[in-house]
Amino acid sequence: MCWDCDDYYGSGTDPDLTDLDTDLDSSSQCSEYSSLSEAPGEEVVGDYGGETYIPDKQPVAKRVRTDKGTDIGTALAVKRSGRRKKTLSLIVTVPIDILLEICSFLEPVDLLHLFHAHKAFHKVLSSNHAASVWKAARVNRGGVPDCMPGMSEAEWADLLFGGTDCHECGRKRVWDIDFGIRRRVCQPCLNENLVCKSAFPFEFSEYDPIILDLIPFSSIGVEDHDHDYIADSACKFFWSDDIEKMAKELEVYLKPGAEQALEDFKQSRKKYVDSDSNHIEVCDAWVANDCAQQSLYARELRSQNTKLFQARLVDLGHDAKDVERMFDNHHYGVLDKEFTDARWKRLIPKVEHKLAQLQEEWRLEKQTEVSCIRESKLLTMYHKYVRPLPQGIVPPPHDFLKLCDIAEFIKSPPTADTKSDVQPCDAFAEKIPDFCADYMHKKKLELTRLLALPTDAVQDTTTLQSQGIDAPDDTLMQLATSVFQCTYPRSFPLITWDKVQYHQGSSSHSQRMAPQSSYALMMSISPCKFLISQRGVAAARSLLSLVGLDAKTTTATTMDDLQCRFFCSNCSPKPENGGSYRMAMNWRQGVFHYVENQNPSHKEPRWKLLSIGQLYVIQNSPAPEYPAATEEVWRCNKCNVYHGGPTTKAIVIKHMKSHGIITPTEGIDFSYDQGLIEKPPPAPKFFVTPQTRKPSKPRTTQKSKSSTGSVYRCQHCNGSDRTFVLEGVKEHIKVKHDIKSSHEGPDFCKIK
């Protein structure tokens, strides 16, 4: 049988407090509840949880000096000079009948203490005269069942109240008593020593199976690892030692002429087993009821002691709320016994120390909680302001939180009012514009100092030292030769400050994946480090030289206005459809082309300027849309809705209606996120050798040919303009709307 006595025996004890009350009063040692030990690291235990007494493991006691002729179980008291000390040593001189009368008022656990405390008591309580005392103790305890057949009163009391150690291996905290085999045994020992009735012929082939009818069987059983526990009532388990003992007893009756004695023995044993089985049910029922009563008593006592403990701590000047909180979820093992002045004196120093520790923990928890709330509110406010700004000029959020007064506010002690803890956050909003402007100023200054370095110098913003330049030069950063590059791997060249300010660095991919920046993502953003793109500068200088412009004064805007196109002389014409073509690049595409192609054929930049006729052909050729309308890089310029997460062009144009703009203009009303599109559009092809055959068309299957000319629309997709061929719309309805067999009319319609 399994008992659930956690409420009674206690849980959540704190060794810091339980080790204070190990020196129990002598008056409390005779109480059942004195077994609720407060030793370090041990749980509080009760009737079924005291220390098991094992006589042969106790140290040998010295022989008590006695005079001849003294009564059994008595000894002379040692004469002491002077004032007598309080002692119980004279109790052994009490006459036996009076001693037994006194013991009749005790409970079984108290008798067990006496039984194991002194040889004289052991002898007296083992005598037949003490049987009535044990019975009275069982009544005092609350209707403890009679002994199991064949057990003495002392053995029965020891089984019930003698501790929670396994009788086989000594394992602690074994709550279950197997009344069938009359042992308190842990589950591993049960698994090892119990024998199933069906397995008896294999394990004890030399014995007669009739033995199993003559011995009691387990009331718990073994553990089945596949099915938790064997619950088949027909499956009986027997203790292996009981089988061996019964086999030896039967040997006496196996002699010739002992047939009748053997039969009488079998009948008596069968009656014994039957009565034993009935008594097991009584014992199991009592244990369940007693455990519930003890648990209720423990909860009531704990509640009463909690109030008493709290009242005393408050009287000593401690905060009532802190004291109540201390005992909300823990009783620390000190509330399960009645309080005495001696216990209180022993416990109060440790309890006050524990309370001080808890108050410090609560203070730190509250500080951490309030600091996190403040940080979250500040970051939300900060992110709302910087979201529309180019990502390249947005300071890292953790730098904003490190500002002197902001960091001091975050770490300041919390107040009693939660609202007042976060109200000052709004006052820091006015610091954000100046903070961002100062960051942009520093960024420009670093880039200006980079541009002032000699061309062959290899330095970046992390190693650059002051060179006497204390102000950024905006004109210098707009030159066509001002080509930067992020130190992050596979970074594109950034032409002028205009591209640097939109550069998102390593965070661009993360922001694509999670447009609404979370706290962790925002705090992970670190500022990019830049250096001069040497190949980019070389390409820009060669292009400027080709068109006859000064590299020291020509801006990127001037080069854009020229609308010149260039062939890379390092690249050979590529064949296509019988002809050959070369890429007609503008100057920005040329810079990217030279930076990305670092093979031996592009050791130095070489270009050829397109003629006016060639340029006319390029300008009159339709250019593909860039970036594509389907790319999620578009956002509204009238609000911040899509600044955190760009979307497709069609969605943004539809969104513009909310601003009352029916025909929005790209670049004014909406635009694409330049931080996500850092590369220029692909350069167009110019065929230096005309094509001799038409471009090949994609192959079409017979299935697609059969559907040519008919266009259908799904009836279940409300508001969708998507069109399909016949097979496509059927497959769409099958997958998307889970309609296996679709028909024209209710499921799809023909639009042409």
Side-chain angles (χ1 to χ4, degrees):
M1 172 163 184
C2 181
W3 303 344
D4 184 11
C5 299
D6 286 347
D7 289 337
Y8 176 57
Y9 302 130
S11 60
T13 57
D14 192 319
D16 289 345
L17 301 183
T18 55
D19 61 355
L20 289 175
D21 200 30
T22 53
D23 299 329
L24 300 176
D25 296 334
S26 59
S27 60
S28 65
Q29 292 189 11
C30 293
S31 170
E32 170 190 350
Y33 304 106
S34 65
S35 59
L36 296 171
S37 173
E38 297 183 9
E42 293 290 336
E43 294 283 347
V44 179
V45 292
D47 283 354
Y48 313 108
E51 294 296 327
T52 302
Y53 177 81
I54 304 176
D56 57 357
K57 292 187 179 180
Q58 298 298 320
V60 179
K62 293 183 179 180
R63 178 178 299 177
V64 179
R65 298 179 63 184
T66 60
D67 281 347
K68 296 181 180 180
T70 56
D71 292 337
I72 296 176
T74 63
L76 290 177
V78 179
K79 295 182 179 180
R80 299 180 181 273
S81 59
R83 185 178 178 181
R84 285 190 176 186
K85 296 182 179 179
K86 294 181 179 180
T87 177
L88 291 175
S89 60
L90 293 177
I91 195 171
V92 296
T93 64
V94 177
I96 293 178
D97 55 344
I98 297 177
L99 181 63
L100 293 178
E101 182 65 23
I102 294 173
C103 290
S104 65
F105 292 97
L106 302 179
E107 295 187 3
V109 68
D110 304 319
L111 288 182
L112 278 177
H113 291 159
L114 289 175
F115 186 76
H116 297 311
H118 197 279
K119 283 187 176 181
F121 287 126
H122 188 278
K123 190 170 185 178
V124 170
L125 293 176
S126 299
S127 65
N128 293 332
H129 300 288
S132 60
V133 175
W134 288 101
K135 292 179 181 179
R138 287 193 280 107
V139 174
N140 297 339
R141 178 59 180 78
V144 178
D146 293 337
C147 301
M148 296 290 291
M151 293 186 73
S152 68
E153 289 285 354
E155 291 173 337
W156 180 237
D158 192 65
L159 177 63
L160 291 179
F161 309 108
T164 61
D165 293 354
C166 173
H167 291 180
E168 288 296 309
C169 66
R171 176 179 293 187
K172 303 290 185 181
R173 299 175 63 80
V174 179
W175 306 115
D176 303 336
I177 297 177
D178 194 327
F179 290 107
I181 58 176
R182 307 178 185 191
R183 290 171 175 86
R184 186 189 296 271
V185 188
C186 65
Q187 196 62 53
C189 290
L190 286 174
N191 297 342
E192 182 179 353
N193 292 280
L194 288 181
V195 179
C196 180
K197 184 176 182 179
S198 59
F200 178 83
F202 305 99
E203 296 192 28
F204 297 95
S205 57
E206 69 275 18
Y207 295 151
D208 189 343
I210 194 64
I211 291 177
L212 301 184
D213 296 332
L214 309 180
I215 58 177
F217 52 87
S218 170
S219 60
I220 295 179
V222 301
E223 184 179 19
D224 183 359
H225 295 286
D226 295 328
H227 305 91
D228 293 336
Y229 285 91
I230 294 179
D232 187 2
S233 58
C235 185
K236 297 180 180 179
F237 292 88
F238 301 86
W239 193 254
S240 57
D241 285 352
D242 292 348
I243 296 175
E244 299 279 358
K245 291 178 181 178
M246 181 52 62
K248 291 181 180 179
E249 288 188 43
L250 281 176
E251 289 180 359
V252 179
Y253 299 96
L254 296 179
K255 298 177 181 180
E259 290 80 5
Q260 184 60 41
L262 175 61
E263 186 63 26
D264 294 342
F265 176 75
K266 290 180 180 179
Q267 293 300 324
S268 64
R269 288 298 301 181
K270 289 180 180 179
K271 291 181 181 179
Y272 164 78
V273 171
D274 292 339
S275 63
D276 196 66
S277 300
N278 295 332
H279 196 57
I280 288 173
E281 296 180 3
V282 175
C283 295
D284 286 340
W286 175 83
V287 167
N289 180 65
D290 185 72
C291 189
Q293 291 181 356
Q294 297 301 328
S295 297
L296 177 62
Y297 171 80
R299 288 194 295 270
E300 291 176 350
L301 180 62
R302 189 178 301 164
S303 176
Q304 175 184 342
N305 286 346
T306 299
K307 295 178 181 178
L308 176 62
F309 217 106
Q310 291 176 351
R312 290 197 176 188
L313 288 173
V314 171
D315 290 341
L316 292 175
H318 296 286
D319 184 76
K321 292 183 178 179
D322 288 346
V323 172
E324 182 178 0
R325 184 179 179 184
M326 178 182 183
F327 291 99
D328 271 347
N329 300 315
H330 299 279
H331 56 85
Y332 305 100
V334 301
L335 302 177
D336 294 328
K337 291 186 291 185
E338 295 182 3
F339 277 116
T340 62
D341 291 339
R343 286 195 69 220
W344 176 255
K345 290 179 181 179
R346 286 193 299 268
L347 288 173
I348 189 58
K350 204 72 173 182
V351 171
E352 289 185 313
H353 178 68
K354 184 66 177 179
L355 179 58
Q357 287 182 333
L358 290 174
Q359 287 173 331
E360 180 62 16
E361 291 177 8
W362 298 334
R363 187 192 67 79
L364 294 176
E365 289 175 3
K366 181 66 174 177
Q367 179 68 66
T368 302
E369 178 186 357
V370 171
S371 295
C372 289
I373 294 174
R374 290 169 178 172
E375 282 189 4
S376 178
K377 185 172 178 62
L378 286 168
L379 287 174
T380 301
M381 180 178 63
Y382 177 76
H383 184 59
K384 183 178 180 181
Y385 177 84
V386 303
R387 186 182 297 171
L389 301 179
Q391 291 300 306
I393 63 172
V394 174
H398 49 76
D399 286 352
F400 173 68
L401 298 180
K402 289 179 182 178
L403 291 178
C404 183
D405 47 353
I406 294 180
E408 184 178 347
F409 163 68
I410 292 174
K411 296 178 181 179
S412 61
T415 60
D417 186 9
T418 306
K419 292 183 178 180
S420 61
D421 281 330
V422 296
Q423 277 181 348
C425 292
D426 298 331
F428 294 108
E430 60 186 21
K431 291 182 174 292
I432 299 178
D434 293 337
F435 176 65
C436 293
D438 184 59
Y439 180 80
M440 184 173 65
H441 177 84
K442 293 179 180 178
K443 182 78 73 175
K444 285 185 174 182
L445 181 59
E446 290 174 351
L447 297 179
T448 300
R449 290 173 175 173
L450 272 177
L451 293 172
L453 288 172
T455 307
D456 57 349
V458 182
Q459 290 186 332
D460 58 25
T461 53
T462 60
T463 60
L464 186 64
Q465 301 298 324
S466 176
Q467 304 168 27
I469 301 175
D470 55 3
D473 190 338
D474 291 334
T475 303
L476 183 62
M477 287 187 292
Q478 294 298 336
L479 294 180
T481 54
S482 298
V483 185
F484 307 94
Q485 195 159 359
C486 179
T487 56
Y488 190 73
R490 297 185 298 277
S491 179
F492 300 119
L494 305 170
I495 302 175
T496 73
W497 167 255
D498 293 340
K499 283 297 181 181
V500 172
Q501 67 176 335
Y502 286 101
H503 179 66
Q504 297 181 2
S506 60
S507 64
S508 60
H509 176 71
S510 300
Q511 291 185 354
R512 275 179 180 264
M513 299 299 292
Q516 301 300 327
S517 298
S518 63
Y519 174 83
L521 177 60
M522 291 182 66
M523 296 305 292
S524 67
I525 298 175
S526 57
C528 292
K529 303 177 181 70
F530 299 97
L531 49 78
I532 299 296
S533 176
Q534 300 296 340
R535 289 182 66 86
V537 173
R541 286 179 179 274
S542 63
L543 290 168
L544 288 170
S545 176
L546 184 60
V547 297
L549 295 177
D550 186 1
K552 295 182 179 181
T553 59
T554 305
T555 63
T557 305
T558 302
M559 284 294 290
D560 292 335
D561 294 339
L562 289 179
Q563 297 186 352
C564 295
R565 293 280 175 169
F566 308 88
F567 292 139
C568 176
S569 299
N570 294 320
C571 296
S572 302
K574 297 181 180 180
E576 185 177 298
N577 298 323
S580 61
Y581 69 90
R582 305 180 78 170
M583 305 305 296
M585 297 174 280
N586 60 29
W587 79 279
R588 291 180 184 269
Q589 293 166 342
V591 171
F592 270 75
H593 173 78
Y594 184 69
V595 171
E596 292 178 340
N597 289 274
Q598 300 188 19
N599 48 52
S601 63
H602 289 70
K603 189 174 182 180
E604 61 180 22
R606 295 189 304 121
W607 314 98
K608 181 181 178 181
L609 183 64
L610 271 68
S611 65
I612 296 177
Q614 292 172 328
L615 186 61
Y616 178 79
V617 173
I618 294 297
Q619 291 176 344
N620 286 277
S621 300
E625 183 181 27
Y626 186 82
T630 55
E631 288 195 62
E632 294 184 347
V633 297
W634 300 90
R635 61 188 186 183
C636 174
N637 290 343
K638 302 297 182 180
C639 66
N640 298 333
V641 173
Y642 298 108
H643 280 259
T647 185
T648 61
K649 190 174 183 178
I651 294 178
V652 172
I653 292 176
K654 185 178 181 180
H655 163 77
M656 297 306 299
K657 295 180 181 179
S658 64
H659 298 290
I661 302 174
I662 306 301
T663 309
T665 303
E666 182 178 340
I668 299 177
D669 301 315
F670 69 96
S671 60
Y672 64 87
D673 187 345
Q674 296 188 48
L676 300 178
I677 305 297
E678 292 186 333
K679 295 185 67 175
K685 300 176 182 178
F686 183 85
F687 282 86
V688 294
T689 303
Q691 303 178 80
T692 59
R693 58 179 181 271
K694 294 182 179 180
S696 59
K697 295 182 179 180
R699 293 184 179 182
T700 57
T701 62
Q702 188 65 31
K703 184 177 181 180
S704 62
K705 287 182 180 179
S706 64
S707 302
T708 304
S710 299
V711 181
Y712 299 86
R713 181 172 293 159
C714 177
Q715 294 282 66
H716 299 282
C717 296
N718 297 326
S720 175
D721 296 332
R722 185 179 179 184
T723 58
F724 305 85
V725 296
L726 180 59
E727 291 79 4
V729 73
K730 288 183 177 181
E731 185 66 21
H732 162 78
I733 293 173
K734 180 180 178 181
V735 174
K736 181 73 177 292
H737 304 291
D738 198 23
I739 299 175
K740 306 301 181 184
S741 179
S742 57
H743 303 280
E744 184 174 354
D747 299 316
F748 59 89
C749 62
K750 186 176 181 180
I751 58 177
K752 71 174 183 177

